[in-house]
Amino acid sequence: MEYDYKQAVEMYIFRDNVDANTHDNFISQSELGNLLQSSRWSQIKSNWGHARVGVFDGEAQIAACLVLIKHLPLGFTMMYIPRGPILDYSNVELVEFFFKELKQWSKKHRCLFVKVDPPVLRGRYQHLGVPVIFDAGSEALEHLEAAGLKHIGFTVGMSATIQPRFNMVCCRDEFGEDYLSKKGKKNYKTAVKNKFLQTVYVDKSGLDDFERVMNCTADRQGVSLRDREYYELLLDTYGEDAFLTLTYMDIKGEYEEAALLRDKCLADLEACPETAPKKRFKLEENLASYTRRVNEGEANLAKYGDKQCIAGALSIIFGETAELLYAGADNDFRRLMAPYKTWFSAMETSFERGCKYVNLGGISGYKDDGLQEFKSSFNPYIHEYLGEFDLPVSTLLYKPSRWMFDKRKGV
């Protein structure tokens, strides 16, 4: 199926059957390209239908878009464009042409409305309230509204939109131990200096351990996270572009060292004369520390065995960006600061594999968001997107269908 309209520009052609390779080549080479617009993302959202549409100027592709299609009762649908479409938003003719054709095409699928989440920044910040750029998307907003889209607004909360409107993104040129925050550097060094922590990079062979730390995080936060099947689907779908970063604790090794140090300290105390009170005080302090480590080690050996994964992260690379999609940690080992080593290592690997950016994921727009403190350790910029838009397709049913969507939101 192909539509050829020449009102706005001479040879713009809208196509709804773009093959995956053509689509991905265009997406990956665009500065707006992202994982959620990759063709393989439709395999992750397998409970939705999908289509790859685009605009061509002659043989040259100038717009691409992965559309997810939700089938509703009575043969209706609603559509969702995650972080797309990918096109030049400064080109008002192209924007209007694309959405005019998309609307006509979506009517054939009995679509009620299309939810659009353009990958356009409104602002970029060093910290919330400290802009590097701001109001950068005003032209795109104007062009989108001129094309008939309704802006949902500059929302702040994480749950207000399907994808978070605020993301933390690290740049390769501003990454490294020297760029860590003061607290981040301290905690990272604590983890790195611990010889009983080992960080490895694995494929889905590490899924059992990754699922466990994710469940630890879900239990601690009192939330429901994805299950093992979902993580496995991500790793299978993206193959070599997906990897797990896991940090293990050598519980037995740490316990044995602590026991040796405790026993030596006891012997030194017995040999220490009463006339050396400062030395005795120091030895007693050390003994208390070693004894605490031994007791903790005994408990951990009984609960976990000789070795345990205590932190993990799942990353996927697409184009110039790695998405650190999921991460978890075992709170029983929080004093070891393993998440700092795990995240730093995952990011370091992504940059070594050629990425220019690592997206650490979403945060809320509130300054008191606790998640921001940890992610801020790695010197990210905060990217604020324009947010979501609706493209009404059914004049009669748009408002009631939008109300139902808000009641049952989830993608």
Side-chain angles (χ1 to χ4, degrees), residues 105-395:
W105 171 79
S106 65
K107 285 181 178 179
K108 297 181 181 296
H109 293 267
R110 302 193 70 195
C111 180
L112 301 175
F113 71 98
V114 183
K115 178 159 288 296
V116 183
D117 182 15
V120 177
L121 292 185
R122 181 194 186 205
R124 188 168 183 255
Y125 310 85
Q126 291 178 317
H127 309 283
L128 281 174
V130 185
V132 177
I133 59 169
F134 183 71
D135 204 22
S138 57
E139 182 183 45
L141 174 59
E142 180 182 335
H143 292 171
L144 286 163
E145 290 181 331
L149 283 79
K150 299 181 181 296
H151 189 214
I152 303 306
F154 298 122
T155 56
V156 179
M158 286 272 282
S159 61
T161 50
I162 299 173
Q163 297 297 326
R165 212 169 63 79
F166 295 84
N167 277 231
M168 282 189 160
V169 179
C170 287
C171 303
R172 181 174 61 196
D173 295 338
E174 299 179 56
F175 170 78
E177 188 173 341
D178 290 342
Y179 286 98
L180 294 174
S181 68
K182 182 177 180 180
K183 180 179 179 181
K185 186 177 295 186
K186 176 184 176 182
N187 291 337
Y188 173 70
K189 286 184 175 179
T190 296
V192 170
K193 289 179 179 179
N194 189 328
K195 64 183 179 182
F196 299 107
L197 290 183
Q198 179 189 19
T199 299
V200 298
Y201 310 97
V202 296
D203 54 18
K204 66 179 184 179
S205 61
L207 267 175
D208 287 343
D209 290 333
F210 180 69
E211 182 188 28
R212 195 193 75 81
V213 294
M214 290 302 299
N215 288 338
C216 289
T217 297
D219 292 343
R220 182 173 71 252
Q221 296 179 350
V223 297
S224 296
L225 297 175
R226 299 291 188 175
D227 58 20
R228 177 197 170 93
E229 289 184 0
Y230 188 81
Y231 304 135
E232 187 169 11
L233 177 61
L234 286 168
L235 293 168
D236 283 341
T237 301
Y238 286 93
E240 294 181 354
D241 294 325
F243 63 94
L244 295 171
T245 306
L246 304 178
T247 297
Y248 290 86
M249 173 63 180
D250 180 0
I251 296 173
K252 183 179 180 182
E254 206 276 343
Y255 166 75
E256 290 176 344
E257 180 184 84
L260 287 172
L261 291 170
R262 178 201 59 184
D263 293 346
K264 183 179 185 305
C265 194
L266 280 169
D268 290 344
L269 261 175
E270 289 182 6
C272 184
E274 296 291 340
T275 54
K278 289 184 178 181
K279 182 178 180 180
R280 288 189 65 84
F281 179 76
K282 182 62 177 178
L283 287 169
E284 287 169 352
E285 273 192 329
N286 290 341
L287 178 62
S289 175
Y290 298 145
T291 301
R292 183 170 60 252
R293 284 175 59 188
V294 168
N295 293 338
E296 186 178 275
E298 288 176 343
N300 286 336
L301 280 169
K303 184 175 181 179
Y304 299 110
D306 291 354
K307 186 177 180 181
Q308 185 61 270
C309 178
I310 62 174
L314 191 160
S315 305
I316 299 179
I317 295 173
F318 182 79
E320 295 183 336
T321 301
E323 304 279 346
L324 205 161
L325 287 180
Y326 297 100
D330 189 330
N331 207 43
D332 285 355
F333 299 88
R334 59 188 177 276
R335 69 173 179 82
L336 303 180
M337 302 299 168
Y340 287 89
K341 186 174 189 288
T342 306
W343 283 56
F344 188 95
S345 298
M347 296 164 66
E348 188 173 47
T349 296
S350 297
F351 289 131
E352 288 174 350
R353 291 180 59 175
C355 293
K356 290 185 178 180
Y357 309 100
V358 174
N359 186 354
L360 304 184
I363 58 171
S364 80
Y366 298 108
K367 292 184 180 180
D368 59 351
D369 182 357
L371 188 59
Q372 291 179 31
E373 182 180 358
F374 173 74
K375 292 183 178 181
S376 294
S377 301
F378 303 99
N379 191 42
Y381 286 93
I382 297 172
H383 287 189
E384 178 190 358
Y385 289 92
L386 281 183
E388 293 178 350
F389 294 75
D390 284 348
L391 176 65
V393 179
S394 171
T395 303

